[in-house]
Amino acid sequence: MDNKDITINIQESSCPETTMIITDAYQAQVQTLSQKEGWVLQQATVISKDDVFLKTISGESDAIKLLLKAVNNRTVERNYFKLYCEMLDSSIAEEEFDKLIELNENDYIVSETDEPNDNQIKMAFRLSEHIKGVNSLNDFTALFSFNAKKIEALLEKNYE
Amino acid sequence: MSKFINIGDTIEAEHANACVRKLEWKGPRKHPITNECMMLYESNRNSNVEIVKVYAGEIKKGTEHFHRNMGDILEADSISIYVDSTRREKSDVKEGVSARHGAQLIDIRKRSISTIKYPLHNLFKCLGLGSSVDIVKTIK
């Protein structure tokens, strides 16, 4: 393959503590598996601290966990408003509404008890830029179940 | 009777009157300090909350710094109001409260805790976070 025709893309990784390197750009070769249509062998060398890169591509990263938490908390909020609507249109009695909330609090009220570290808070901020309906600190802490005091402590530290 | 305008200032009242440009009902939440399940409302423009009946109940641990005097007012853009209730509060819309805009008036007749919160966009700036940009270099 003529090296002049090779286009090499180098992307700065958004995965923490990982650098992606393509070794020796001028001699890099792209091999294509012709046996299966659409399958392409891609080669790269990755330098990563501990297992950070492997955890990222396997879905064990903090980002994935935060997003799963956010989805579940949105479901909890939706459950509450659905139940409230049922009470308003008299599908269920007010006493039944109060009882359901009291007995199944985790299904209807978001808990904000998690104490994240600084990196998790910063990652959550970055994720929240792309999530709808995060307009206030309360929206942010409810989305990721963060304890508001921890966020305020981080702010005080950054103000010093 | 005092006016509070700083971030973190909190008032606790048996009855309170709130005047806000826009109030959003956020649903039930656990109060971050008392851990009680309360109904949360948020205002985001030209808001004030005033104590009209003093809270005379038990002062819980962690709430000693709350202001509880008659006539104490919180004034800010972003106020979080926690109401000890399981039902949504009703508000009246009144036009001409300021020279240009109307406002929502809410008479809260349940125990409430109101706090001036950090605006979220300020938090981004404080932590030095902006829009993330992926850098792709192409070498030929």
Side-chain angles (χ1 to χ4, degrees):
Chain A
M1 184 179 289
D2 186 353
N3 288 340
K4 291 179 187 175
D5 296 327
I6 295 173
T7 299
I8 306 296
N9 291 325
I10 298 177
Q11 186 162 5
E12 289 188 11
S13 177
S14 57
C15 173
E17 301 170 329
T18 297
T19 300
M20 190 170 285
I21 302 170
I22 298 180
T23 56
D24 201 353
Y26 292 104
Q27 296 181 6
Q29 296 178 4
V30 176
Q31 300 175 10
T32 304
L33 287 174
S34 58
Q35 293 156 358
K36 287 189 179 180
E37 190 177 327
W39 285 77
V40 177
L41 174 65
Q42 296 176 334
Q43 295 176 325
T45 300
V46 175
I47 297 176
S48 171
K49 185 178 177 185
D50 298 325
D51 292 331
V52 169
F53 178 72
L54 287 175
K55 281 184 179 177
T56 301
I57 60 173
S58 67
E60 289 183 39
S61 68
D62 282 344
I64 303 290
K65 287 178 188 168
L66 286 170
L67 288 171
L68 288 174
K69 178 75 83 171
V71 168
N72 286 333
N73 284 341
R74 283 280 163 92
T75 302
V76 167
E77 287 178 353
R78 190 182 64 175
N79 288 346
Y80 175 82
F81 289 114
K82 275 171 67 176
L83 197 69
Y84 200 89
C85 287
E86 286 175 9
M87 182 192 66
L88 288 179
D89 69 12
S90 304
S91 298
I92 59 171
E94 289 197 25
E95 294 80 16
E96 192 182 342
F97 171 81
D98 291 332
K99 193 177 172 186
L100 278 170
I101 302 282
E102 195 182 327
L103 293 176
N104 306 294
E105 214 172 75
N106 289 338
D107 290 338
Y108 296 106
I109 300 174
V110 173
S111 70
E112 297 177 34
T113 53
D114 289 359
E115 296 200 355
N117 57 41
D118 292 358
N119 284 334
Q120 287 172 324
I121 293 174
K122 289 179 181 176
M123 172 156 305
F125 270 126
R126 288 197 183 278
L127 291 172
S128 68
E129 285 179 290
H130 306 284
I131 299 176
K132 286 184 181 180
V134 184
N135 302 314
S136 69
L137 180 57
N138 287 323
D139 292 338
F140 178 74
T141 54
L143 187 66
F144 296 109
S145 289
F146 286 164
N147 186 322
K149 282 185 191 176
K150 193 75 178 171
I151 310 288
E152 286 165 16
L154 177 67
L155 284 166
E156 283 166 17
K157 195 167 80 172
N158 277 277
Y159 268 130
E160 285 169 8
Chain B
M1 179 178 167
S2 306
K3 187 183 283 187
F4 301 100
I5 59 171
N6 294 319
I7 290 172
D9 284 340
T10 305
I11 61 172
E12 184 175 12
E14 191 66 36
H15 292 172
N17 286 351
C19 176
V20 306
R21 179 102 75 78
K22 182 181 174 187
L23 191 73
E24 282 188 53
W25 177 41
K26 297 292 185 179
R29 297 284 170 79
K30 296 268 180 82
H31 190 272
I33 297 176
T34 65
N35 208 36
E36 296 167 285
C37 184
M38 302 174 91
M39 203 66 87
L40 173 63
Y41 303 85
E42 277 186 357
S43 67
N44 61 358
R45 307 263 170 88
N46 292 347
S47 315
N48 62 71
V49 182
E50 181 181 0
I51 298 177
V52 294
K53 185 176 178 185
V54 172
Y55 173 70
E58 180 196 354
I59 295 179
K60 301 195 176 187
K61 186 183 173 184
T63 68
E64 295 85 359
H65 64 283
F66 290 2
H67 303 286
R68 298 180 175 90
N69 297 322
M70 185 69 162
D72 283 351
I73 297 179
L74 274 186
E75 225 174 76
D77 276 342
S78 182
I79 296 181
S80 297
I81 306 172
Y82 289 85
V83 180
D84 192 2
S85 170
T86 55
R87 301 290 181 269
R88 186 179 180 180
E89 297 293 314
K90 291 183 182 171
S91 64
D92 293 321
V93 175
K94 185 176 177 184
E95 296 301 328
V97 172
S98 73
R100 181 165 288 190
H101 295 287
Q104 285 182 276
L105 306 175
I106 307 102
D107 296 337
I108 305 167
R109 293 300 172 254
K110 301 268 174 68
R111 177 176 151 258
S112 63
I113 300 173
S114 307
T115 306
I116 298 176
K117 287 279 196 177
Y118 285 98
L120 190 64
H121 65 270
N122 286 7
L123 296 178
F124 278 98
K125 284 184 190 175
C126 176
L127 293 174
L129 297 172
S131 329
S132 55
V133 177
D134 288 331
I135 301 169
V136 178
K137 297 175 187 174
T138 302
I139 298 176
K140 284 193 177 178

